[in-house]
């Protein structure tokens, strides 16, 4: 869950999001090192009048500043490609949930169960209970068990939407006539919030997503109560 004036990412609750956070830190350190070197060289050029004539005409320095950027790009590209392939992997999901975007709410269907489907609308501000979050609470939450791979099938019935939950590292477009899929795995129980991340009309801001991750026993009890 994000908090006011937060400058970083939300706490990771899935292996994919943990990998993304590590990659972000890795890339940021490279950017800091390059920025520091460039600023140092600029300050050096502005504060000294000395010129090294051999350096200005040397082949060695040209070789270094050609090869070094290539090595840096490889150091960024290899971890990035690894995470991209990990995000596309869907290995033996134990549960499948289909979500459809509408103007302006989400509908969910648990395809492994008969008659287990519902719509999820944002709770108006006037109906919120003490402690509930404005523009983020819904009347029907998605529930799935922790430490279990869950496949999300995502599409739309009208315009472009985007199903995004930052703490799970998930952002998948909902496109009319196209069925996209992604994998969710939560390493701990809790409530995780997201929103539609594609401008989809006048009420785009009022399409929150709430995921409740519980133990397997609690999930079975919830399914029994819903059927």
């Amino acid at each position: 869950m994000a908090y006011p004036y937060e400058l970083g990412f939300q706490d990771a609750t899935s292996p994919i999001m943990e990998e993304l956070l590590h990659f972000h830190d890795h890339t940021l350190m490279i950017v800091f090192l390059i920025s520091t070197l460039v600023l140092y060289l600029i300050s050096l050029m502005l504060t000294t009048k000395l010129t090294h004539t051999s350096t200005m005409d040397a082949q060695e320095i040209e070789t270094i500043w050609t090869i070094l950027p290539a090595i840096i790009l490889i150091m960024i590209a290899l971890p990035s490609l690894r995470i991209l392939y990990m995000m596309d992997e869907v290995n033996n999901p134990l549960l499948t949930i289909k979500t459809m975007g509408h103007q302006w709410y989400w509908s969910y269907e648990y395809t492994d169960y008969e008659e287990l489907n519902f719509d999820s609308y944002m709770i108006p501000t006037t109906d919120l209970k003490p402690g509930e979050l404005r523009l983020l609470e819904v009347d029907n939450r998605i529930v799935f068990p922790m430490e279990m791979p869950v496949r999300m099938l995502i599409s739309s019935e009208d315009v472009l939407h985007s199903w995004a939950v930052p703490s799970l590292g998930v952002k998948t477009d909902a496109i009319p006539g196209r069925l996209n899929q992604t994998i969710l795995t939560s390493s701990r129980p809790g409530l995780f919030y997201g929103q539609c991340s594609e401008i989809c009309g006048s009420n785009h801001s009022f399409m929150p997503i709430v995921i409740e991750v519980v133990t397997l026993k609690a999930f079975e009890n919830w399914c029994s109560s819903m059927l």
Side-chain angles (χ1 to χ4, degrees):
M1 179 65 204
Y3 56 84
Y5 306 108
E6 183 178 6
L7 297 178
F9 291 98
Q10 297 183 23
D11 292 338
T13 187
S14 70
I16 291 295
M17 191 57 191
E18 290 176 2
E19 292 286 341
L20 289 171
L21 289 179
H22 291 320
F23 176 68
H24 169 265
D25 296 341
H26 166 74
T27 308
L28 200 61
M29 286 307 301
I30 293 175
V31 172
F32 281 156
L33 291 172
I34 294 173
S35 302
T36 304
L37 178 61
V38 170
L39 288 173
Y40 172 71
L41 292 175
I42 291 174
S43 64
L44 208 61
M45 293 173 66
L46 294 175
T47 55
T48 180
K49 296 181 180 179
L50 299 176
T51 302
H52 197 297
T53 54
S54 299
T55 303
M56 299 297 291
D57 196 34
Q59 295 293 324
E60 292 81 2
I61 192 68
E62 293 185 7
T63 304
I64 291 172
W65 71 44
T66 301
I67 294 176
L68 192 60
I71 294 173
I72 292 172
L73 288 176
I74 291 171
M75 290 173 62
I76 295 174
L78 291 181
S80 174
L81 290 172
R82 173 176 168 271
I83 295 174
L84 279 174
Y85 278 104
M86 286 175 63
M87 293 175 71
D88 281 340
E89 286 287 333
V90 181
N91 290 326
N92 301 322
L94 301 179
L95 182 67
T96 300
I97 304 173
K98 187 172 85 172
T99 176
M100 298 290 291
H102 308 265
Q103 290 182 308
W104 286 273
Y105 65 96
W106 299 99
S107 61
Y108 299 100
E109 178 184 350
Y110 287 71
T111 58
D112 300 295
Y113 298 85
E114 293 183 6
E115 305 293 328
L116 184 47
N117 53 76
F118 51 83
D119 296 330
S120 181
Y121 290 87
M122 186 194 76
I123 298 177
T125 304
T126 54
D127 297 339
L128 289 175
K129 298 176 183 176
E132 292 185 334
L133 302 169
R134 177 177 173 270
L135 299 181
L136 287 177
E137 298 291 348
V138 296
D139 54 358
N140 290 307
R141 299 169 175 170
I142 316 169
V143 180
F144 64 80
M146 59 181 287
E147 297 179 342
M148 178 181 291
V150 178
R151 175 172 54 191
M152 293 295 300
L153 302 177
I154 300 166
S155 187
S156 172
E157 282 201 355
D158 36 51
V159 298
L160 289 175
H161 300 280
S162 186
W163 199 84
V165 183
S167 56
L168 287 170
V170 173
K171 183 180 183 295
T172 304
D173 289 339
I175 303 171
R178 180 187 177 96
L179 199 62
N180 291 327
Q181 72 173 358
T182 188
I183 196 78
L184 303 179
T185 305
S186 178
S187 54
R188 56 189 170 89
L191 284 178
F192 306 104
Y193 294 87
Q195 289 177 303
C196 177
S197 295
E198 186 76 43
I199 296 177
C200 55
S202 59
N203 289 335
H204 158 69
S205 303
F206 310 119
M207 290 184 64
I209 301 159
V210 183
I211 297 177
E212 184 175 355
V213 181
V214 297
T215 61
L216 182 58
K217 184 64 176 176
F219 174 72
E220 292 174 346
N221 294 335
W222 177 81
C223 289
S224 300
S225 66
M226 293 291 290
L227 293 173

